[in-house]
Amino acid sequence: MTVEVWTMGVGLPGMAARQAERAEAAGFGGIAMVDSQNLAGDPYVALAVAARATSTLRLATGVTNPVTRHPAVTAAAIATVHGESGGRAVLGIGRGDSALAHLGQAPAPVATFERYLIALQAYLGGGAVDFEDPTIGTLGLAGAPVDSRMEWIGMAGPKVPVSVAASGPKVLALAARLAERVTFAVGADPERVAWARDTVNAARREAGLPADGVSLGAYVNVVAHPDRDVARELASGGLASFARFSVMHGQPTGPVDASTRDVLTNVHAAYDMTHHTRAGAAQTAALTPEFAERFAVLGPPAECVARLQELVGLGLDHLMVIGPSIGADRDQSNDAHRRFAAEVLPALGEG
């Protein structure tokens, strides 16, 4: 089975085109630009720049949220990228994390997220969305729209697929019904990935939907390095961030043993959002070697290949790879990136 392997990008000025060019040259299937307005530049601008610099690379938000933009604005932005790239865009979305934290807000409630996804899918599909608390009637216009829709969406080509990033059972079930793609953020432990897969499949059965009608994938922290201690250190910042998604509100989600529960709880208690995803942040001290080995894919390239192929064997068709952390040793990080591209990525491409 061939799997799409994506890398992550950051839309800082002057970087998007170079990141995308390198990703395409290395053989990645796609690049996802983070959406966290206080920590990085606008992802849609970055994706448009990346579209012009590449010809085959798929382009996604990694991920946007249901708070900082009206669903019509989100739909218009990603559909424009889709049209300009010849149909290569994916809209990655979750409940929100750092983008909202730096506005003083928590992730959107699940009910809010559901309403947003329904409206977003309607816009992207060319359908109508009812106005919410309309005031246009106070203008006394001779003619006015009676609902909201993208009049131009057909110019963008086929519909943009929506990929929901999901960690807990409620969002997994929601994504199963409302998205074309579900991308798990539950770590790389096969038991947890299988649980997420089964949760999605059960929700689709309950809704009367076919199991094969949705693409399944996972965000996975991966560092290929012959020295496991070095690999863990390079991965630590991003690993702590993704571990927190499984304990966002203090209670771990999915199957966990006692030691995993302790680590997740400690990460939650120690998490410093002012050092989000960074190596050396306080939350990284909560990670044990045993937890890191299960929750991430770390070690020599051949072992990384075997671990990732095991996940693909669970039914995944796309992997979103999170490599070395911000603030980690630059030379070691560059070596790990090169090692992944040269020794891991080609093996995954062979299916």
Side-chain angles (χ1 to χ4, degrees):
M1 178 180 178
T2 301
V3 61
E4 293 175 16
V5 183
W6 292 61
T7 187
M8 305 300 293
V10 180
L12 295 172
M15 292 178 60
R18 293 200 303 272
Q19 290 175 346
E21 288 169 343
R22 287 197 297 265
E24 186 170 82
F28 283 98
I31 188 168
M33 295 289 180
V34 301
D35 185 8
S36 189
Q37 71 289 323
N38 291 52
L39 303 179
D42 185 84
Y44 299 102
V45 174
L47 290 171
V49 170
R52 291 298 183 183
T54 58
S55 59
T56 62
L57 193 71
R58 301 193 75 179
L59 309 160
T61 47
V63 295
T64 193
N65 65 80
V67 175
T68 55
R69 298 176 185 84
H70 189 281
V73 177
T74 296
I78 197 64
T80 302
V81 173
H82 202 50
E84 292 292 345
S85 66
R88 291 186 277 142
V90 174
L91 193 282
I93 186 168
R95 290 171 57 209
D97 187 41
S98 64
L100 302 189
H102 284 269
L103 299 177
Q105 297 188 43
V110 174
T112 299
F113 190 34
E114 180 175 15
R115 290 193 297 271
Y116 192 95
L117 281 176
I118 291 170
L120 177 66
Q121 289 284 38
Y123 281 121
L124 290 172
V129 177
D130 290 338
F131 293 135
E132 187 173 335
D133 300 323
T135 60
I136 193 170
T138 64
L139 296 178
L141 296 170
V146 297
D147 53 34
S148 181
R149 68 181 69 221
M150 297 292 184
E151 303 289 351
W152 59 274
I153 198 75
M155 297 176 64
K159 181 188 173 296
V160 178
V162 172
S163 178
V164 171
S167 299
K170 292 181 180 179
V171 177
L172 286 164
L174 183 67
R177 295 187 288 106
L178 296 178
E180 289 85 7
R181 296 162 70 97
V182 186
T183 310
F184 311 144
V186 299
D189 184 338
E191 181 183 7
R192 290 177 57 78
V193 171
W195 164 79
R197 176 203 61 198
D198 293 345
T199 302
V200 168
N201 289 341
R204 288 185 65 82
R205 284 195 302 272
E206 185 175 346
L209 298 170
D212 60 358
V214 65
S215 167
L216 302 180
Y219 286 90
V220 187
N221 299 92
V222 184
V223 174
H225 197 286
D227 187 322
R228 310 188 82 85
D229 291 336
V230 172
R232 284 195 299 271
E233 178 61 27
L234 293 176
S236 61
L239 176 54
S241 295
F242 274 81
R244 175 176 159 270
F245 296 153
S246 291
V247 66
M248 185 72 78
H249 298 288
Q251 292 297 318
T253 58
V256 292
D257 58 20
S259 62
T260 299
R261 178 179 294 276
D262 288 345
V263 171
L264 290 174
T265 302
N266 291 338
V267 167
H268 176 269
Y271 205 87
D272 180 354
M273 185 58 78
T274 66
H275 290 83
H276 183 57
T277 75
R278 290 189 168 273
Q283 54 267 22
T284 65
L287 303 173
T288 65
E290 294 76 18
F291 175 87
E293 292 287 342
R294 289 199 309 274
F295 209 87
V297 175
L298 310 170
E303 292 186 23
C304 291
V305 170
R307 288 282 309 280
L308 293 171
Q309 287 178 334
E310 182 180 12
L311 297 182
V312 172
L314 294 174
L316 305 187
D317 59 30
H318 62 277
L319 298 172
M320 314 296 284
V321 173
I322 301 95
S325 308
I326 297 171
D329 182 272
R330 179 171 295 183
D331 291 338
Q332 293 276 22
S333 295
N334 288 338
D335 285 345
H337 283 301
R338 285 191 290 267
R339 196 174 288 110
F340 183 90
E343 302 181 51
V344 179
L345 189 54
L348 295 174
E350 294 169 0

